[in-house]
Coordinates of all heavy atoms in Angstrom, one line a residue:
L133 N -21.6 17.0 14.1 CA -22.8 16.6 14.7 C -23.4 17.6 15.6 O -24.6 17.9 15.6 CB -22.5 15.3 15.6 CG -23.7 14.7 16.3 CD1 -24.7 14.2 15.3 CD2 -23.2 13.6 17.2
E134 N -22.6 18.4 16.3 CA -23.0 19.5 17.1 C -23.7 20.6 16.2 O -24.8 21.1 16.6 CB -21.9 20.1 17.9 CG -21.4 19.2 19.0 CD -22.4 18.9 20.1 OE1 -23.2 19.9 20.4 OE2 -22.5 17.8 20.6
A135 N -23.0 20.9 15.1 CA -23.6 21.9 14.2 C -24.9 21.4 13.7 O -25.9 22.2 13.6 CB -22.6 22.2 13.1
E136 N -25.0 20.2 13.3 CA -26.3 19.6 12.8 C -27.4 19.7 13.8 O -28.6 20.0 13.6 CB -26.0 18.2 12.3 CG -27.2 17.6 11.6 CD -27.0 16.2 11.1 OE1 -25.8 15.8 11.0 OE2 -28.0 15.6 10.7
K137 N -27.0 19.4 15.1 CA -28.0 19.4 16.2 C -28.5 20.9 16.3 O -29.7 21.1 16.5 CB -27.4 19.0 17.5 CG -27.3 17.5 17.7 CD -26.7 17.2 19.0 CE -26.5 15.7 19.2 NZ -26.0 15.3 20.5
K138 N -27.6 21.8 16.3 CA -28.1 23.3 16.4 C -29.0 23.7 15.2 O -30.0 24.3 15.4 CB -26.9 24.2 16.4 CG -26.0 24.2 17.7 CD -24.9 25.1 17.6 CE -24.1 25.0 18.9 NZ -22.9 25.9 18.9
V139 N -28.7 23.2 14.1 CA -29.5 23.5 12.9 C -30.9 22.8 13.1 O -31.9 23.5 12.8 CB -28.8 23.0 11.6 CG1 -29.8 23.1 10.4 CG2 -27.7 23.9 11.3
N140 N -30.9 21.6 13.5 CA -32.2 20.9 13.7 C -32.9 21.6 14.8 O -34.2 21.6 14.7 CB -31.9 19.4 14.1 CG -31.4 18.6 12.9 OD1 -31.6 19.0 11.8 ND2 -30.8 17.5 13.1
E141 N -32.3 22.0 15.9 CA -33.1 22.7 17.0 C -33.7 24.0 16.4 O -34.8 24.3 16.7 CB -32.1 23.1 18.1 CG -31.8 21.9 18.9 CD -30.7 22.1 20.0 OE1 -30.3 23.3 20.1 OE2 -30.2 21.2 20.7
A142 N -32.9 24.8 15.6 CA -33.5 26.0 15.0 C -34.7 25.7 14.0 O -35.7 26.3 14.1 CB -32.4 26.7 14.2
I143 N -34.6 24.6 13.3 CA -35.7 24.2 12.4 C -36.9 23.7 13.3 O -38.0 24.2 13.0 CB -35.2 23.1 11.5 CG1 -34.2 23.6 10.4 CG2 -36.4 22.5 10.8 CD1 -33.6 22.6 9.5
A144 N -36.6 23.0 14.3 CA -37.7 22.6 15.2 C -38.4 23.8 15.9 O -39.6 23.8 16.0 CB -37.2 21.6 16.3
A145 N -37.7 24.8 16.2 CA -38.2 26.0 16.8 C -39.1 26.8 15.9 O -40.2 27.2 16.2 CB -37.1 26.9 17.4
K146 N -38.6 26.8 14.6 CA -39.4 27.6 13.6 C -40.7 26.7 13.3 O -41.8 27.3 13.1 CB -38.6 27.6 12.2 CG -37.5 28.7 12.3 CD -36.9 28.8 11.0 CE -35.7 29.8 11.0 NZ -35.0 29.9 9.7
V147 N -40.6 25.4 13.2 CA -41.8 24.6 13.0 C -42.7 24.8 14.2 O -44.0 24.8 14.0 CB -41.4 23.1 12.8 CG1 -42.6 22.2 12.8 CG2 -40.6 22.9 11.5
A148 N -42.3 24.8 15.4 CA -43.2 24.9 16.6 C -43.8 26.3 16.6 O -45.0 26.4 16.9 CB -42.3 24.8 17.9
E149 N -43.2 27.3 16.2 CA -43.7 28.7 16.0 C -44.8 28.7 15.0 O -45.9 29.3 15.2 CB -42.6 29.7 15.5 CG -41.8 30.3 16.7 CD -40.8 31.3 16.1 OE1 -41.1 32.0 15.1 OE2 -39.7 31.5 16.7
K150 N -44.5 28.1 13.8 CA -45.6 28.0 12.8 C -46.8 27.2 13.2 O -48.0 27.7 13.0 CB -45.1 27.4 11.5 CG -44.2 28.2 10.8 CD -43.7 27.6 9.4 CE -42.8 28.5 8.6 NZ -42.4 27.9 7.4
K151 N -46.6 26.1 13.9 CA -47.7 25.3 14.5 C -48.5 26.2 15.5 O -49.7 26.2 15.6 CB -47.2 24.0 15.1 CG -46.9 23.0 14.0 CD -46.5 21.7 14.7 CE -46.1 20.7 13.6 NZ -45.8 19.3 14.2
A152 N -47.8 26.9 16.4 CA -48.4 27.7 17.4 C -49.2 28.8 16.8 O -50.3 29.1 17.2 CB -47.4 28.2 18.4
A153 N -48.6 29.4 15.8 CA -49.4 30.5 15.1 C -50.5 29.9 14.4 O -51.7 30.6 14.3 CB -48.4 31.2 14.0
A154 N -50.4 28.8 13.8 CA -51.6 28.2 13.1 C -52.7 27.8 14.0 O -53.9 28.0 13.8 CB -51.2 27.0 12.3
A155 N -52.3 27.2 15.2 CA -53.2 26.9 16.2 C -54.0 28.1 16.8 O -55.1 28.1 17.0 CB -52.5 26.1 17.3
A156 N -53.2 29.2 17.0 CA -53.8 30.4 17.5 C -54.7 31.0 16.4 O -55.8 31.4 16.8 CB -52.7 31.4 17.8
A157 N -54.4 31.0 15.2 CA -55.3 31.5 14.1 C -56.6 30.6 14.0 O -57.7 31.2 13.9 CB -54.5 31.5 12.8
K158 N -56.4 29.3 14.2 CA -57.6 28.4 14.2 C -58.4 28.7 15.4 O -59.7 28.7 15.3 CB -57.0 26.9 14.2 CG -58.1 26.0 13.9 CD -57.6 24.6 13.9 CE -58.7 23.6 13.7 NZ -58.2 22.2 13.5
A159 N -57.8 28.9 16.5 CA -58.6 29.1 17.7 C -59.4 30.5 17.6 O -60.6 30.6 18.0 CB -57.7 29.1 18.9
E160 N -58.7 31.5 17.0 CA -59.4 32.8 16.8 C -60.6 32.6 15.8 O -61.6 33.2 16.0 CB -58.4 33.8 16.2 CG -57.5 34.4 17.3 CD -56.5 35.4 16.7 OE1 -56.8 35.9 15.6 OE2 -55.5 35.7 17.3
A161 N -60.3 31.8 14.8 CA -61.4 31.7 13.8 C -62.5 30.9 14.4 O -63.7 31.3 14.2 CB -60.8 30.9 12.6
E162 N -62.2 29.9 15.2 CA -63.3 29.1 15.9 C -64.0 30.1 16.9 O -65.3 30.0 17.1 CB -62.7 27.9 16.6 CG -62.4 26.8 15.6 CD -61.8 25.7 16.3 OE1 -61.7 25.6 17.6 OE2 -61.4 24.7 15.6
A163 N -63.3 30.9 17.6 CA -63.8 31.8 18.6 C -64.7 32.8 17.9 O -65.8 33.2 18.5 CB -62.8 32.5 19.4
A164 N -64.4 33.3 16.8 CA -65.1 34.3 16.1 C -66.4 33.6 15.5 O -67.5 34.3 15.5 CB -64.3 34.9 14.9
E165 N -66.3 32.4 15.1 CA -67.5 31.7 14.5 C -68.4 31.3 15.6 O -69.7 31.3 15.5 CB -67.1 30.5 13.7 CG -66.6 30.8 12.3 CD -66.2 29.5 11.6 OE1 -66.6 28.5 11.9 OE2 -65.4 29.6 10.6
A166 N -67.9 30.8 16.8 CA -68.7 30.3 17.8 C -69.7 31.4 18.4 O -70.9 31.1 18.5 CB -67.9 29.7 18.9
P167 N -69.3 32.5 18.7 CA -70.2 33.6 19.3 C -71.2 33.9 18.2 O -72.4 34.2 18.5 CB -69.4 34.7 19.7 CG -67.9 34.1 19.8 CD -67.9 33.0 19.0
A168 N -70.8 34.0 16.9 CA -71.7 34.5 15.9 C -72.8 33.3 15.7 O -74.0 33.7 15.5 CB -71.0 34.6 14.6
E169 N -72.5 32.1 15.9 CA -73.5 31.1 15.8 C -74.4 31.0 17.0 O -75.6 30.8 16.9 CB -72.8 29.7 15.5 CG -72.1 29.6 14.2 CD -71.5 28.2 14.1 OE1 -71.6 27.5 15.0 OE2 -70.8 28.0 13.1

Side-chain angles (χ1 to χ4, degrees):
L133 183 62
E134 291 296 324
E136 187 176 345
K137 282 182 182 179
K138 287 180 182 179
V139 168
N140 287 344
E141 288 173 2
I143 291 172
K146 286 182 181 179
V147 169
E149 276 182 30
K150 284 184 179 179
K151 284 185 179 180
K158 187 177 180 183
E160 283 182 21
E162 287 179 4
E165 283 182 19
E169 292 177 5

